[in-house]
Amino acid sequence: VVLSEKKVAPRAEVVRVGLRGMTLASRGAFSRSRVLTMRATGYGPGENGRWGNRTALGKRVGYGIVAVDPRVIPLGSRLYIEGYGHAIAGDTGSAIRGMRIDLGFDSDREAHQIGRREVK
């Protein structure tokens, strides 16, 4: 039994801003930053081998998650990559050694479009 009805006009508002629910702090989060120049390639969910759609930290492969060599950049580190944006070092890879980084994308098609490039 419906007791009453009320129509409400929709309104636009920002509910959350960030990477998959993680809101990054302003510039203070990078107070101990260092600048590295690395060779970058892209990877998507279909290119994660036997791990499927999960990373070394258990997160989903996608935009904002990058694969790094943990000896160079510790897993869980927050990064800013020029031309890509904010990211989390959330995965490793068999070919990721030294100054290499894999940038995560939501689809394999997007990942292939990046090619190989130098990023800071």
Side-chain angles (χ1 to χ4, degrees), residues 4 9 13 24 36 43 69 72 76 79 90 93 97 99 102 116:
S4 66
E13 72 180 275
L24 296 173
L36 301 173
Y43 84 110
D69 182 347
V72 177
L79 312 169
R97 297 287 180 256
M99 303 303 281
D102 267 358
R116 290 184 183 177

PDB file of all heavy atoms in Angstrom, residues 4 9 13 24 36 43 69 72 76 79 90 93 97 99 102 116:
ATOM      1  N   SER A   4       2.201   7.627   0.413  1.00  0.00           N
ATOM      2  CA  SER A   4       2.351   8.941  -0.204  1.00  0.00           C
ATOM      3  C   SER A   4       3.451   8.877  -1.256  1.00  0.00           C
ATOM      4  O   SER A   4       4.298   7.999  -1.234  1.00  0.00           O
ATOM      5  CB  SER A   4       2.691  10.006   0.839  1.00  0.00           C
ATOM      6  OG  SER A   4       3.962   9.747   1.383  1.00  0.00           O
ATOM      7  N   ALA A   9      13.127  16.872  -7.958  1.00  0.00           N
ATOM      8  CA  ALA A   9      13.899  17.168  -9.165  1.00  0.00           C
ATOM      9  C   ALA A   9      15.351  16.727  -8.974  1.00  0.00           C
ATOM     10  O   ALA A   9      15.916  16.895  -7.887  1.00  0.00           O
ATOM     11  CB  ALA A   9      13.850  18.667  -9.466  1.00  0.00           C
ATOM     12  N   GLU A  13      25.659  16.966  -8.223  1.00  0.00           N
ATOM     13  CA  GLU A  13      26.575  17.269  -7.141  1.00  0.00           C
ATOM     14  C   GLU A  13      27.727  16.267  -7.178  1.00  0.00           C
ATOM     15  O   GLU A  13      27.578  15.137  -7.632  1.00  0.00           O
ATOM     16  CB  GLU A  13      25.895  17.247  -5.780  1.00  0.00           C
ATOM     17  CG  GLU A  13      25.525  15.873  -5.279  1.00  0.00           C
ATOM     18  CD  GLU A  13      24.850  15.923  -3.920  1.00  0.00           C
ATOM     19  OE1 GLU A  13      25.578  15.946  -2.906  1.00  0.00           O
ATOM     20  OE2 GLU A  13      23.622  15.941  -3.897  1.00  0.00           O
ATOM     21  N   LEU A  24      43.154  11.305  -3.084  1.00  0.00           N
ATOM     22  CA  LEU A  24      44.534  11.701  -2.848  1.00  0.00           C
ATOM     23  C   LEU A  24      44.575  13.079  -2.208  1.00  0.00           C
ATOM     24  O   LEU A  24      43.800  13.952  -2.552  1.00  0.00           O
ATOM     25  CB  LEU A  24      45.311  11.733  -4.166  1.00  0.00           C
ATOM     26  CG  LEU A  24      45.470  10.395  -4.865  1.00  0.00           C
ATOM     27  CD1 LEU A  24      46.109  10.589  -6.227  1.00  0.00           C
ATOM     28  CD2 LEU A  24      46.300   9.453  -4.032  1.00  0.00           C
ATOM     29  N   LEU A  36      61.852  10.380 -11.328  1.00  0.00           N
ATOM     30  CA  LEU A  36      62.534   9.317 -12.060  1.00  0.00           C
ATOM     31  C   LEU A  36      62.070   9.357 -13.506  1.00  0.00           C
ATOM     32  O   LEU A  36      60.897   9.591 -13.777  1.00  0.00           O
ATOM     33  CB  LEU A  36      62.181   7.948 -11.476  1.00  0.00           C
ATOM     34  CG  LEU A  36      62.509   7.704 -10.010  1.00  0.00           C
ATOM     35  CD1 LEU A  36      61.934   6.363  -9.565  1.00  0.00           C
ATOM     36  CD2 LEU A  36      64.006   7.720  -9.796  1.00  0.00           C
ATOM     37  N   TYR A  43      49.413  -1.745 -20.119  1.00  0.00           N
ATOM     38  CA  TYR A  43      48.858  -3.096 -20.005  1.00  0.00           C
ATOM     39  C   TYR A  43      47.410  -3.026 -19.545  1.00  0.00           C
ATOM     40  O   TYR A  43      47.001  -2.096 -18.875  1.00  0.00           O
ATOM     41  CB  TYR A  43      49.722  -3.990 -19.112  1.00  0.00           C
ATOM     42  CG  TYR A  43      49.488  -3.904 -17.615  1.00  0.00           C
ATOM     43  CD1 TYR A  43      48.899  -4.955 -16.940  1.00  0.00           C
ATOM     44  CD2 TYR A  43      49.884  -2.798 -16.881  1.00  0.00           C
ATOM     45  CE1 TYR A  43      48.711  -4.917 -15.573  1.00  0.00           C
ATOM     46  CE2 TYR A  43      49.707  -2.738 -15.514  1.00  0.00           C
ATOM     47  CZ  TYR A  43      49.113  -3.812 -14.865  1.00  0.00           C
ATOM     48  OH  TYR A  43      48.920  -3.761 -13.509  1.00  0.00           O
ATOM     49  N   ASP A  69      58.963  -2.215 -10.517  1.00  0.00           N
ATOM     50  CA  ASP A  69      59.944  -3.061  -9.858  1.00  0.00           C
ATOM     51  C   ASP A  69      59.978  -2.616  -8.396  1.00  0.00           C
ATOM     52  O   ASP A  69      60.348  -1.478  -8.105  1.00  0.00           O
ATOM     53  CB  ASP A  69      61.315  -2.872 -10.510  1.00  0.00           C
ATOM     54  CG  ASP A  69      62.387  -3.765  -9.906  1.00  0.00           C
ATOM     55  OD1 ASP A  69      62.161  -4.367  -8.830  1.00  0.00           O
ATOM     56  OD2 ASP A  69      63.473  -3.852 -10.517  1.00  0.00           O
ATOM     57  N   VAL A  72      62.777  -0.552  -6.938  1.00  0.00           N
ATOM     58  CA  VAL A  72      62.912   0.850  -7.331  1.00  0.00           C
ATOM     59  C   VAL A  72      61.798   1.692  -6.719  1.00  0.00           C
ATOM     60  O   VAL A  72      62.047   2.749  -6.141  1.00  0.00           O
ATOM     61  CB  VAL A  72      62.897   0.988  -8.875  1.00  0.00           C
ATOM     62  CG1 VAL A  72      62.972   2.439  -9.301  1.00  0.00           C
ATOM     63  CG2 VAL A  72      64.032   0.192  -9.496  1.00  0.00           C
ATOM     64  N   GLY A  76      52.463  -0.052  -3.310  1.00  0.00           N
ATOM     65  CA  GLY A  76      51.594   0.787  -2.491  1.00  0.00           C
ATOM     66  C   GLY A  76      51.929   2.268  -2.567  1.00  0.00           C
ATOM     67  O   GLY A  76      51.189   3.092  -2.037  1.00  0.00           O
ATOM     68  N   LEU A  79      51.924   7.722  -6.905  1.00  0.00           N
ATOM     69  CA  LEU A  79      52.755   8.329  -7.934  1.00  0.00           C
ATOM     70  C   LEU A  79      51.976   9.352  -8.731  1.00  0.00           C
ATOM     71  O   LEU A  79      50.752   9.269  -8.825  1.00  0.00           O
ATOM     72  CB  LEU A  79      53.252   7.253  -8.921  1.00  0.00           C
ATOM     73  CG  LEU A  79      53.841   5.975  -8.346  1.00  0.00           C
ATOM     74  CD1 LEU A  79      54.026   4.957  -9.439  1.00  0.00           C
ATOM     75  CD2 LEU A  79      55.149   6.272  -7.671  1.00  0.00           C
ATOM     76  N   GLY A  90      50.813  -0.825  -7.789  1.00  0.00           N
ATOM     77  CA  GLY A  90      50.036  -1.940  -7.259  1.00  0.00           C
ATOM     78  C   GLY A  90      50.320  -3.284  -7.875  1.00  0.00           C
ATOM     79  O   GLY A  90      49.651  -4.257  -7.567  1.00  0.00           O
ATOM     80  N   GLY A  93      55.688  -7.247 -12.512  1.00  0.00           N
ATOM     81  CA  GLY A  93      55.601  -8.001 -13.754  1.00  0.00           C
ATOM     82  C   GLY A  93      56.922  -8.677 -14.054  1.00  0.00           C
ATOM     83  O   GLY A  93      57.975  -8.226 -13.606  1.00  0.00           O
ATOM     84  N   ARG A  97      61.711  -4.668 -14.727  1.00  0.00           N
ATOM     85  CA  ARG A  97      62.945  -4.677 -13.946  1.00  0.00           C
ATOM     86  C   ARG A  97      63.612  -3.321 -14.092  1.00  0.00           C
ATOM     87  O   ARG A  97      63.690  -2.772 -15.188  1.00  0.00           O
ATOM     88  CB  ARG A  97      63.909  -5.762 -14.440  1.00  0.00           C
ATOM     89  CG  ARG A  97      63.383  -7.165 -14.300  1.00  0.00           C
ATOM     90  CD  ARG A  97      63.387  -7.593 -12.834  1.00  0.00           C
ATOM     91  NE  ARG A  97      62.881  -8.946 -12.681  1.00  0.00           N
ATOM     92  CZ  ARG A  97      61.672  -9.235 -12.219  1.00  0.00           C
ATOM     93  NH1 ARG A  97      60.858  -8.272 -11.876  1.00  0.00           N
ATOM     94  NH2 ARG A  97      61.283 -10.471 -12.096  1.00  0.00           N
ATOM     95  N   MET A  99      64.321   0.468 -14.301  1.00  0.00           N
ATOM     96  CA  MET A  99      63.625   1.720 -14.620  1.00  0.00           C
ATOM     97  C   MET A  99      62.549   1.517 -15.686  1.00  0.00           C
ATOM     98  O   MET A  99      62.485   2.229 -16.680  1.00  0.00           O
ATOM     99  CB  MET A  99      64.639   2.772 -15.066  1.00  0.00           C
ATOM    100  CG  MET A  99      65.723   3.046 -14.035  1.00  0.00           C
ATOM    101  SD  MET A  99      65.066   3.563 -12.445  1.00  0.00           S
ATOM    102  CE  MET A  99      64.722   5.254 -12.796  1.00  0.00           C
ATOM    103  N   ASP A 102      54.797  -0.255 -16.145  1.00  0.00           N
ATOM    104  CA  ASP A 102      53.634  -0.575 -16.969  1.00  0.00           C
ATOM    105  C   ASP A 102      52.456   0.244 -16.457  1.00  0.00           C
ATOM    106  O   ASP A 102      52.108   0.163 -15.277  1.00  0.00           O
ATOM    107  CB  ASP A 102      53.272  -2.054 -16.880  1.00  0.00           C
ATOM    108  CG  ASP A 102      53.895  -2.898 -17.965  1.00  0.00           C
ATOM    109  OD1 ASP A 102      54.583  -2.335 -18.828  1.00  0.00           O
ATOM    110  OD2 ASP A 102      53.690  -4.123 -17.939  1.00  0.00           O
ATOM    111  N   ARG A 116      55.458   2.552 -26.514  1.00  0.00           N
ATOM    112  CA  ARG A 116      56.552   2.690 -25.535  1.00  0.00           C
ATOM    113  C   ARG A 116      56.978   4.148 -25.538  1.00  0.00           C
ATOM    114  O   ARG A 116      57.133   4.757 -26.573  1.00  0.00           O
ATOM    115  CB  ARG A 116      57.741   1.825 -25.941  1.00  0.00           C
ATOM    116  CG  ARG A 116      57.467   0.382 -25.780  1.00  0.00           C
ATOM    117  CD  ARG A 116      58.683  -0.425 -26.088  1.00  0.00           C
ATOM    118  NE  ARG A 116      58.326  -1.832 -25.973  1.00  0.00           N
ATOM    119  CZ  ARG A 116      59.134  -2.806 -26.226  1.00  0.00           C
ATOM    120  NH1 ARG A 116      60.358  -2.564 -26.630  1.00  0.00           N
ATOM    121  NH2 ARG A 116      58.731  -4.039 -26.102  1.00  0.00           N
TER     122      ARG A 116
END
